[in-house]
């Protein structure tokens, strides 16, 4: 006996296309990929959190809000077309290699951190 | 609250609002896992949860006014005790149908909350203010989709137009007046269904014409009345049975 489910997730399985049918998706036929940047608090930096697919920036914002802004504090969201991002090739990552004897260029010799910790301790903070 | 009639008027208002929210929230949640694209699946499911959350808070307010607890109100009433409008009961249909219903319902909801934000009944005004932002997103979502699909293909335009043709007359069921309209207006508790309907129609008519949608003539705006009195479409009962299926399988179980 075949029962008909009220649940569309089950009842629509029969609507799936034929297995033999090949679906060809042309480049850009689908939606555009947008990078999403999330800002927790006004004045702080927007942080990259992921991507959404959308037909235009307005829809990208609509989707980004629920995908990335529905949990925790959110002040603002940016969306930027992924293709507008310029990046280095990973084969060129060696330009970041630095040599060990140039540590004087790092900020690791400043003692401020210790002083802040000392001050906090003296005031009874953790 | 000073007198019993005022008390009854507020309860009547809260019940119909919360029942609309619960039922449309449940209906919209039926898209979970089968939304047209992943992002929309997430967004639509999340908004469905917002609706159930609103219903919960209004049921909680009713509970504080002496009614049963929210779970009992939501899951253990008979069909005839529900005061939801016919619009929210209809099955989800295809996505265009759901989207147009969401558009019609949420615009009414947004204006209703705007009016209620200055209600003389403070707990209600507070809830209206608290959830206005969520509903603002709901109409932003609805408007953006309508615009997108009305700028899309012949098929997407035709689908949106035909869903408006199908739904507009039923959507007036939201504004079926209750027995306490005059009192609610007089006591500044709520501006009344008539005022809400007028403002709502102006809003949706503007957005529709901006997007090339022709709203069908509705000769009788009362055609889908009845829900607020407990008379429902054939679709509510099976939905309630499904919604309470697990609960009924093990009455009194602890979760």
């Amino acid at each position: 006996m075949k029962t008909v489910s009220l649940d569309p997730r089950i009842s629509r399985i029969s609507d799936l296309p034929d297995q033999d049918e090949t679906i060809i998706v042309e480049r850009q036929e689908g939606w555009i990929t947008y990078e999403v940047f999330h800002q927790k608090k006004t004045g702080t930096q927007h942080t990259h959190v992921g991507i959404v697919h959308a037909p235009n920036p307005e829809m990208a914002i609509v989707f980004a809000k629920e995908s990335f802004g529905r949990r925790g504090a959110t002040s603002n969201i940016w969306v930027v077309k992924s293709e507008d991002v310029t990046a280095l090739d990973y084969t060129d990552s060696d330009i970041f290699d630095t040599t060990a004897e140039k540590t004087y260029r790092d900020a690791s010799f400043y003692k401020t951190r210790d002083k802040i910790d000392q001050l906090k301790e003296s005031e009874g903070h953790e | 609250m000073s007198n019993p009639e005022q008390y009854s008027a507020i309860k009547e208002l809260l019940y119909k609002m919360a029942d609309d929210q619960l039922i449309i929230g449940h209906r919209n949640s039926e898209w979970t896992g089968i939304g047209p694209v992943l992002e929309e699946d997430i967004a639509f499911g999340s908004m469905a949860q917002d609706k159930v959350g609103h219903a919960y808070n209004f049921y909680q307010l009713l509970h504080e006014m002496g009614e049963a607890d929210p779970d009992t109100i939501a899951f253990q009433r008979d069909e005839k005790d529900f005061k939801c409008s016919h619009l929210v009961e209809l099955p989800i249909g295809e996505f265009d149908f759901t989207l147009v219903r969401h558009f019609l319902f949420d615009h009414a909801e947004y204006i209703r909350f705007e009016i209620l934000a200055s209600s003389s009944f403070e707990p209600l005004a507070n809830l209206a203010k608290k959830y206005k932002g969520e509903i603002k997103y709901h109409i932003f979502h609805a408007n953006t989709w309508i615009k997108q699909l009305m700028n899309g293909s012949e098929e997407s335009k035709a689908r949106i137009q035909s869903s408006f043709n199908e739904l507009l007359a039923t959507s007036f069921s939201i504004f079926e007046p209750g027995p306490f309209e005059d009192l609610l207006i007089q006591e500044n508790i709520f501006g009344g269904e008539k005022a809400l309907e007028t403002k709502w129609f102006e809003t949706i008519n503007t957005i529709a014409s901006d997007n090339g949608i022709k709203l069908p003539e509705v000769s009788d705006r009362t055609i889908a009345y009845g829900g607020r009195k407990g008379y429902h479409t054939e679709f509510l009962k099976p939905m309630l049975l499904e919604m309470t299926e697990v609960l009924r399988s093990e009455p009194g179980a602890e979760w």
Side-chain angles (χ1 to χ4, degrees):
Chain A
M1 191 186 77
K2 195 174 179 248
T3 48
V4 181
S5 175
L6 273 176
D7 187 339
R9 281 163 292 200
I10 293 162
S11 63
R12 282 183 192 193
I13 287 175
S14 58
D15 296 341
L16 287 177
D18 203 344
Q19 290 282 325
D20 302 332
E21 222 175 284
T22 315
I23 300 166
I24 299 159
V25 181
E26 299 293 337
R27 191 172 182 273
Q28 289 294 308
E29 185 192 321
W31 285 354
I32 303 158
T33 308
Y34 287 85
E35 303 293 325
V36 182
F37 297 83
H38 174 266
Q39 186 191 39
K40 273 189 192 160
K41 232 174 99 181
T42 311
T44 62
Q45 295 186 43
H46 283 67
T47 310
H48 184 248
V49 282
I51 59 157
V52 291
H53 295 102
N56 56 44
E58 208 183 7
M59 288 285 279
I61 286 274
V62 166
F63 292 149
K65 188 263 172 188
E66 284 303 336
S67 288
F68 300 104
R70 75 181 190 281
R71 296 199 178 109
T74 303
S75 173
N76 193 244
I77 281 178
W78 287 345
V79 291
V80 178
K81 266 188 200 173
S82 303
E83 62 181 41
D84 288 340
V85 175
T86 309
L88 268 175
D89 199 299
Y90 280 110
T91 54
D92 293 327
S93 311
D94 50 0
I95 65 168
F96 298 110
D97 291 348
T98 189
T99 44
E101 65 271 22
K102 285 199 293 181
T103 51
Y104 57 84
R105 291 177 59 169
D106 300 341
S108 51
F109 292 102
Y110 293 104
K111 298 293 181 202
T112 322
R113 186 74 246 167
D114 297 343
K115 281 185 185 162
I116 292 169
D117 289 343
Q118 259 176 19
L119 185 71
K120 277 185 175 173
E121 220 169 276
S122 69
E123 286 181 354
H125 297 291
E126 273 195 38
Chain B
M1 274 306 106
S2 45
N3 69 61
E5 209 197 353
Q6 216 165 307
Y7 214 72
S8 307
I10 293 169
K11 281 187 186 176
E12 195 260 346
L13 178 65
L14 293 177
Y15 264 118
K16 69 182 174 192
M17 285 170 57
D19 287 349
D20 269 1
Q21 291 153 357
L22 177 70
I23 302 304
I24 202 164
H26 187 87
R27 277 295 182 216
N28 288 349
S29 78
E30 289 173 19
W31 280 102
T32 308
I34 54 162
V37 291
L38 176 68
E39 285 88 343
E40 177 59 15
D41 198 302
I42 293 166
F44 211 65
S46 179
M47 288 190 296
Q49 285 185 321
D50 290 346
K51 294 289 182 227
V52 177
H54 299 171
Y56 172 81
N57 279 278
F58 287 111
Y59 289 146
Q60 183 60 36
L61 188 51
L62 280 163
H63 184 44
E64 284 156 22
M65 295 171 78
E67 299 294 291
D69 68 283
D71 280 348
T72 308
I73 298 177
F75 299 120
Q76 303 205 30
R77 276 181 303 159
D78 286 337
E79 180 201 0
K80 65 175 170 38
D81 298 326
F82 276 83
K83 299 291 154 58
C84 50
S85 61
H86 288 187
L87 179 71
V88 300
E89 301 168 8
L90 303 177
I92 58 175
E94 306 221 344
F95 196 65
D96 49 89
F97 185 88
T98 287
L99 202 58
V100 171
R101 169 169 53 188
H102 154 56
F103 172 84
L104 294 169
F105 180 78
D106 276 299
H107 273 285
E109 198 77 342
Y110 187 70
I111 300 165
R112 188 186 288 276
F113 275 55
E114 243 177 2
I115 298 170
L116 288 173
S118 55
S119 172
S120 62
F121 183 50
E122 218 185 306
L124 185 54
N126 290 342
L127 282 181
K129 281 179 232 162
K130 186 173 169 189
Y131 292 115
K132 229 182 101 187
E134 282 186 3
I135 302 169
K136 191 176 182 181
Y137 172 73
H138 296 185
I139 60 171
F140 174 46
H141 173 274
N143 293 350
T144 310
W145 262 113
I146 296 289
K147 189 176 153 199
Q148 172 65 25
L149 293 175
M150 287 310 290
N151 282 293
S153 62
E154 282 307 307
E155 187 190 354
S156 72
K157 287 179 211 171
R159 276 174 174 267
I160 293 299
Q161 180 61 56
S162 73
S163 290
F164 271 95
N165 296 349
E166 220 175 317
L167 276 162
L168 191 67
T170 313
S171 64
F172 288 101
S173 65
I174 301 173
F175 315 105
E176 179 181 353
F180 303 105
E181 294 295 315
D182 293 342
L183 178 79
L184 290 169
I185 296 166
Q186 207 181 304
E187 298 294 325
N188 283 320
I189 295 161
F190 173 59
E193 298 297 334
K194 195 74 224 166
L196 172 59
E197 181 185 312
T198 306
K199 195 154 180 232
W200 168 83
F201 192 73
E202 269 171 35
T203 307
I204 62 148
N205 199 22
T206 305
I207 300 172
S209 69
D210 286 352
N211 286 285
I213 298 159
K214 291 182 208 74
L215 292 186
E217 282 295 324
V218 177
S219 54
D220 183 1
R221 290 184 174 189
T222 69
I223 199 148
Y225 279 9
R228 305 305 190 198
K229 295 193 175 80
Y231 306 116
H232 296 287
T233 63
E234 62 189 299
F235 306 110
L236 182 64
K237 183 98 184 184
M239 199 213 91
L240 291 175
L241 287 174
E242 192 187 57
M243 188 171 83
T244 56
E245 190 180 356
V246 177
L247 180 80
R248 284 181 292 108
S249 70
E250 195 67 47
E254 294 283 328
W255 298 86

